[in-house]
Amino acid sequence: MIRTIEGISVLVMLSVFFAYLIAPLIAVLRLKVRLGARQRPPTVAVAAALVYVILFFPLGAIAYRAAEPVAQWVQVTAPGAVQHLFGPDNFKPLEEAIAGTPLPPAARRLVADRLAHSIASLEHETRQTLDELIAAAEHAWWLIVVPIAAFALLTAAPGFQRSSLRVLKRGRVWRAEEYLRDVNSAMAGYVRAQAVASVIVGTACVAGFTVLGLESAVSMGVAAGVLELFPVLGPITAALMVSVEAGDLLVGVLLFLAGLRIVEDYVIYPRLIEHGMHLPTPVVILTIWLGAVFFGVAGVVLAIPVAGLISVSVRHRREHREAERLAGNPA
């Protein structure tokens, strides 16, 4: 039951994300295109349908061609990459580097033990996430719900909002409009942050892989940037893809990706969310950690949007109570 709720929640979140992602394309289309004798702009439904046609014919062809290779990668290549990634010889250069440092023997042992513990924890998390990815692959066809739900949100949401506001008391309409506007702003800020993070990671990976001398540096970097749109699963999938291609450069590539993840997850991304959704950086980090601990991958996907919704709701509730108190009508 909990898994079903998590799955539905993730589908809803992906639908909202996709709707916000293509909404600017619909706005541009309605601005540029004119239909009929009166040269009127297309309705939202017609513009959304046109955007879907433009996007999904090429994307559908790519998905059809990629279905078999992706299944092969998930079922065979990725588990093999994990086995290769955490092979006993891959981290020997680090162990030798620690052994050669001018530290007391006790300190060297402590550093080596910490390294072994970190590698074991990383391996556990990677294998657990891969298991979730393999399990989720069986239900990938449910993703067809995402564009359908996004279309419904884009075309029906404005009318639903107007109908909902009509049933409210006159004095509360403006407050409800302001609340919905702030929720919309928070979700749009989240989508912008994800998109900017994707561009930053893709650019950094292309540059880093090129400097390291990795073959297919550009394609691997672009793939890493696109996968950044999918929390947790995306970065781990990118790391596994790159580890397959790294060869003798594996340690250097992994150190680069680890450093990038630290900077991205604890410096860049929280600041993007803080700017887009007005959530303090410590709250962003804590929210993601709590989501991961209690709900795994689904928790990470939903953590920031839910935190943004709660933040807007709490702020509006506080402002409402304050306004009622000043008006002499305590809530």
Side-chain angles (χ1 to χ4, degrees), residues 22-249:
I22 68 170
L25 299 177
I26 294 173
V28 170
L29 197 63
R30 297 192 71 204
L31 185 65
K32 299 293 184 181
V33 176
R34 291 294 181 269
L35 302 175
R38 297 185 180 182
Q39 293 295 291
R40 291 181 175 178
T43 63
V44 173
V46 171
L50 290 173
V51 170
Y52 272 39
V53 169
I54 295 170
L55 290 178
F56 281 103
F57 269 108
L59 291 179
I62 293 172
Y64 178 77
R65 289 179 174 272
E68 187 173 343
V70 167
Q72 174 73 11
W73 190 90
V74 171
Q75 298 293 338
V76 179
T77 308
V82 172
Q83 203 65 30
H84 172 70
L85 180 61
F86 295 100
D89 297 330
N90 287 336
F91 296 95
K92 276 189 176 180
L94 289 177
E95 296 171 357
E96 292 172 356
I98 293 172
T101 56
L103 294 172
R108 286 202 299 269
R109 285 195 300 272
L110 178 62
V111 173
D113 289 342
R114 291 293 184 185
L115 175 63
H117 177 72
S118 299
I119 292 173
S121 298
L122 179 61
E123 180 177 4
H124 172 74
E125 291 298 327
T126 302
R127 290 186 183 278
Q128 185 177 21
T129 304
L130 180 61
D131 290 341
E132 292 187 14
L133 178 62
I134 293 172
E138 300 177 0
H139 307 287
W141 63 272
W142 277 101
L143 291 176
I144 193 63
V145 172
V146 171
I148 296 173
F151 187 88
L153 288 171
L154 289 165
T155 57
F160 177 78
Q161 177 178 333
R162 288 192 297 270
S163 299
S164 300
L165 292 175
R166 288 194 191 102
V167 304
L168 296 174
K169 294 180 179 179
R170 180 171 299 179
R172 296 184 178 181
V173 170
W174 67 269
R175 192 175 294 123
E177 288 179 330
E178 186 178 356
Y179 173 75
L180 292 175
R181 185 170 59 249
D182 287 350
V183 169
N184 181 70
S185 176
M187 293 300 103
Y190 169 71
V191 173
R192 286 195 300 270
Q194 289 292 127
V196 173
S198 177
V199 172
I200 291 173
V201 169
T203 304
C205 285
V206 169
F209 295 160
T210 301
V211 171
L212 289 169
L214 186 69
E215 292 185 10
S216 305
V218 174
S219 59
M220 288 289 102
V222 171
V226 173
L227 288 168
E228 189 67 21
L229 292 171
F230 306 93
V232 182
L233 290 178
I236 289 180
T237 302
L240 293 177
M241 288 173 57
V242 175
S243 69
V244 174
E245 303 290 333
D248 296 335
L249 301 172

Side-chain angles (χ1 to χ4, degrees), residues 13-26:
M13 190 61 243
L14 290 176
S15 301
V16 172
F17 182 88
F18 186 72
Y20 276 105
L21 203 59
I22 68 170
L25 299 177
I26 294 173

